[in-house]
Amino acid sequence: MDADEAEWGSLTDRLADEAGAAGDTDAYERLAATGDPEDLADVLTAPGRPLWARELAAFRLGLGGDRRAFEALVLLLNHRDAERCVSAAYALVRLGDPRTARAAAALATNELRVAYALAPVRLLAALRAPEAVPALITALGRRLAPGDPHWRVGVACAEGLGALADPRARPVLEAAAPHPRIGAAARAALGNLPV
């Protein structure tokens, strides 16, 4: 089973349950089976469509490289439901839209939505785009404030900076190294930076 099949299976199991709970099993099966991208795109623009349908359509269009999925996927990337965020990030990587890195950087550094920034942070590291390092440095620096509750986002930032191995990250990683929860990831990331 390849990664697309595994992610597709996870997404369809979850959305089939959501649709079934709403009494929409037949509509779900039709949407999951359609091979027409126009049918999927219509779901994204039609009023009153349920979230499960929009997510399914956006995911399928994203995997197919159809840029009409971009806006819906970005909205899902910053959703309060972590599973939706992960699926959206997966589809956005495969979509290949040049706007993705800028959108992910904006979400990763938005302090009003920091509780939902984990997927955008991880997406930035995966994209390896020019926007990634500055955004991750900014987001990590904010997570070092005493008592900040979003330390998991800080860990993801440190891990991403370690994967990107950009020397510009050294000052913020050194500042994060003594942090009780982020420190281990920061020290590991420092070990990946060029000397």
Side-chain angles (χ1 to χ4, degrees), residues 12-85:
T12 54
D13 288 348
R14 176 171 52 82
L15 297 186
D17 289 347
E18 285 183 31
D24 290 337
T25 300
D26 290 344
Y28 167 82
E29 289 175 358
R30 282 193 301 276
L31 191 58
T34 186
D36 186 353
E38 296 306 317
D39 289 345
L40 297 171
D42 287 347
V43 170
L44 299 181
T45 57
R49 295 307 299 261
L51 183 57
W52 68 260
R54 293 180 187 282
E55 182 178 1
L56 181 59
F59 185 86
R60 292 193 61 203
L61 287 169
L63 289 189
D66 190 321
R67 291 191 178 168
R68 291 177 290 184
F70 175 76
E71 290 180 7
L73 289 172
V74 168
L75 288 173
L76 291 165
L77 180 65
N78 199 228
H79 196 274
R80 66 183 176 273
D81 181 345
E83 289 181 313
R84 293 194 200 284
C85 299

Side-chain angles (χ1 to χ4, degrees), residues 82-178:
E83 289 181 313
R84 293 194 200 284
C85 299
V86 170
S87 294
Y90 186 89
L92 281 164
V93 168
R94 281 139 191 86
L95 178 61
D97 192 298
R99 299 170 291 176
T100 300
R102 189 169 56 252
L107 293 173
T109 57
N110 181 347
E111 282 299 288
L112 297 177
R113 300 288 295 175
V114 68
Y116 312 112
L118 200 55
V121 162
R122 290 181 174 152
L123 176 59
L124 275 173
L127 293 173
R128 305 185 78 84
E131 295 88 345
V133 171
L136 293 177
I137 288 171
T138 297
L140 176 55
R142 292 174 179 166
R143 304 290 61 87
L144 301 181
D148 183 88
H150 305 293
W151 58 271
R152 287 180 182 84
V153 173
V155 169
C157 289
E159 291 170 347
L161 290 168
L164 296 171
D166 189 305
R168 292 176 293 173
R170 185 173 299 280
V172 75
L173 290 170
E174 287 175 345

